[in-house]
Every structure is written in C-alpha cells, then in structure tokens.
Amino acid sequence: MEVFVQQLINGLTLGSIYGLIAIGYTMVFGIIGMVNFAHGDVFMVSAFIALIVFLILTSWLGVTSVALALLIVLVVSMLFTSIVGWTIERLAYRPLRGSFRLAPLISAIGMSIFLMNFVQVTQGPRNKPVPPMLSDIIVVMQEGSYQVTISYKQIIIIVVTTVLLTCFWYLVQKTPLGRAQRACEQDRKMAALLGVNVDRTISLTFVMGAALAAVAGTMFLMYYGVVSFADGFVPGVKAFTAAVLGGIGSLPGAVLGGLLIGLIETMWSAYFSVEYKDVAAFSILAIVLIFMPQGILGKPEVEKV
C-alpha cells in the first residue's frame, strides 16, 4: 500500500509536466490541424533558458532566496520561450499555411532538428546540472522503515499545473480571445469573414503553448536538476501521446492524458520493469484508441454531407 501511494504521488508529478506540454500540442492542433513536432524542443529550449537565468541570479547577482529566484526564472523563461514560439510560427509555419498538407509537418520536423542542434552547439552535448533546490520533504505516512514522502517540489508542480489549467480553461471558454480561437477551430474562413483576425489568433495560440512549455521546462529542471539538448524528444513524444490519449483538441483531455501516462510509467516501473515503462504507456494508448479513436475526452468527428 505504501509503495502504491508513493508511486501515485510520483506519477501525478510526472503527469503534470506531461500535461503542461500536451496543452501546447492540443491547442495548435485544435486550431490549425497541425502536429507541431517542434513543441518538445521548445520545451527543451525553455529548460535551458531557465537554467541560464537561475545560474545568473544565484551565481552572479547573489540572489539567495530560492523561491524568489524560481519566480523570476519562471517569468523570464515564459517571456523568452513565448518569443521563440511566436518566431517559429511566423517564420516556419505561416508561409506554408494553405500549402499541401505535408509541408507544415516537414517544416515542423526541420524546426525540431534545428532547435536541438542549435542547443547542442551552443550549450554542448553534456548534461547541464543545477544546484539542488527545495530538497525538503513531508512524510505523508510511515510503515516500518518505509516512508511515503512528498517534496515541496512535487507540491509546487501539482499546484502550478492545477492553477494554470483553470486559468487557460477560463481564457478559452470565457474571453474574446478564446471565442476567436474556437471560431478559428471550427472554420477559419468564416471566422475571418466575421472579423476575427485569424493570423493574430494563431500567433497568440503558439505564444500560449510556448509559455506553458516554459512552465513545464522550469518545473522539469527544478524536479530533475539536470537538462540536456536531447531532452525535448522523449518528453515531447510522451506529451503528444498524452494529448492523443486524452482527446486532442481538449484542454482537460490533455491534462488527463498526461496524468494517465505519468501514472502508467511510475506504476509499471514500481511493479514490473523500468526498461519497459515506455512500451506499457504506448501499448495502453494503442488499446484505448482501438476502442475510442477520438480519445477519452475528445469529440467524435461529424462528417458533413
């Protein structure tokens, strides 16, 4: 029982990070119907931005409060990563809008490779560590010598994910920008005829997705304490898997899918084999999609005649 509770806490933490990345995939796909394969590498770039800003604050500027440093890192990382997301959309995707279907997909793969190689050249191929932060833990329960614990880092990750999901759900459902996004999702031409600035709406969607990836990157760096240029691929693929599992196009579905993938990974690692945790996650995705092709919270496509 104690092992199960501990893995439940670990799975929710890992799944929260996947969920934050998955929201970026599902927002872009929902509006322009394109899988942004560079999104995982945007997440990796944001982790490096967070690393650099954190080291500048603590080593050069002498900031001693970890909480203050993390807050500044989060804001700066979201700002710069949003600029990266806007630039990618402006240079790599917008010129290809209206082109044949595979062109944006190829451009996204090219942008992913470019970002990964750029970080490898500028930051080096080795893992980049940060000093441990927020190492304190809370003992939830104890049975014999085994303690079930939750760290402050895990609490921050789960709380931040919950707050951001609530804020973005409100933004999409209740604000003029959200209405414009939903209009573009249904019919971009009709939305343009009704006065919606489609280009601006799509750009803001990329900015929002990149900002959430920056939050995930900062949380990832805080949780694991290390990042490398290759860290965009596997988390990116798993976050995309989470978006598909939850129902791509659905914000709650993206977070639900992320939590499920995180839980499957940690439970499988604890009770079966660490080496096959990814196989287990993707196998369950395949099984779910056989019986629910639209995902858990996705809406089935209605073909108009």
Side-chain angles (χ1 to χ4, degrees), residues 34-182:
M34 184 197 106
V35 178
N36 180 15
F37 279 113
H39 191 63
D41 293 283
V42 172
F43 155 78
M44 176 269 296
V45 169
S46 75
F48 270 95
I49 293 173
L51 170 74
I52 293 169
V53 175
F54 183 81
L55 292 178
I56 290 175
L57 288 172
T58 55
S59 302
W60 290 7
L61 300 181
V63 176
T64 55
S65 170
V66 175
L68 177 63
L70 277 177
L71 182 62
I72 297 173
V73 165
L74 190 63
V75 173
V76 174
S77 179
M78 289 177 74
L79 177 64
F80 279 93
T81 311
S82 298
I83 295 173
V84 172
W86 179 84
T87 305
I88 290 173
E89 191 276 333
R90 192 70 183 81
L91 297 180
Y93 300 150
R94 187 181 297 186
L96 297 175
R97 208 178 297 156
S99 180
F100 69 102
R101 193 173 180 84
L102 287 179
L105 187 67
I106 295 170
S107 181
I109 295 172
M111 184 54 67
S112 170
I113 295 171
F114 168 78
L115 289 175
M116 187 166 61
N117 288 345
F118 175 76
V119 173
Q120 183 182 12
V121 170
T122 56
Q123 298 297 317
R126 295 182 179 177
N127 292 340
K128 299 289 184 182
V130 291
M133 57 183 99
L134 299 174
S135 302
D136 295 335
I137 59 172
I138 299 172
V139 178
V140 179
M141 56 190 294
Q142 183 168 2
E143 181 69 28
S145 60
Y146 190 91
Q147 291 182 333
V148 178
T149 63
I150 182 169
S151 65
Y152 289 152
K153 291 183 285 191
Q154 291 174 310
I155 294 173
I156 291 173
I157 291 171
I158 294 171
V159 170
V160 166
T161 302
T162 306
V163 171
L164 283 178
L165 174 63
T166 306
C167 293
F168 274 80
W169 177 87
Y170 181 84
L171 191 150
V172 171
Q173 296 295 327
K174 304 293 183 182
T175 65
L177 174 60
R179 284 192 288 275
Q181 288 177 317
R182 283 181 283 137

Side-chain angles (χ1 to χ4, degrees), residues 159-216:
V159 170
V160 166
T161 302
T162 306
V163 171
L164 283 178
L165 174 63
T166 306
C167 293
F168 274 80
W169 177 87
Y170 181 84
L171 191 150
V172 171
Q173 296 295 327
K174 304 293 183 182
T175 65
L177 174 60
R179 284 192 288 275
Q181 288 177 317
R182 283 181 283 137
C184 291
E185 179 183 356
Q186 292 180 4
D187 192 325
R188 271 185 279 162
K189 289 183 180 178
M190 181 59 72
L193 288 173
L194 293 174
V196 174
N197 189 331
V198 175
D199 286 340
R200 177 174 169 271
T201 304
I202 293 175
S203 293
L204 286 174
T205 303
F206 272 85
V207 167
M208 291 164 59
L212 286 173
V215 178

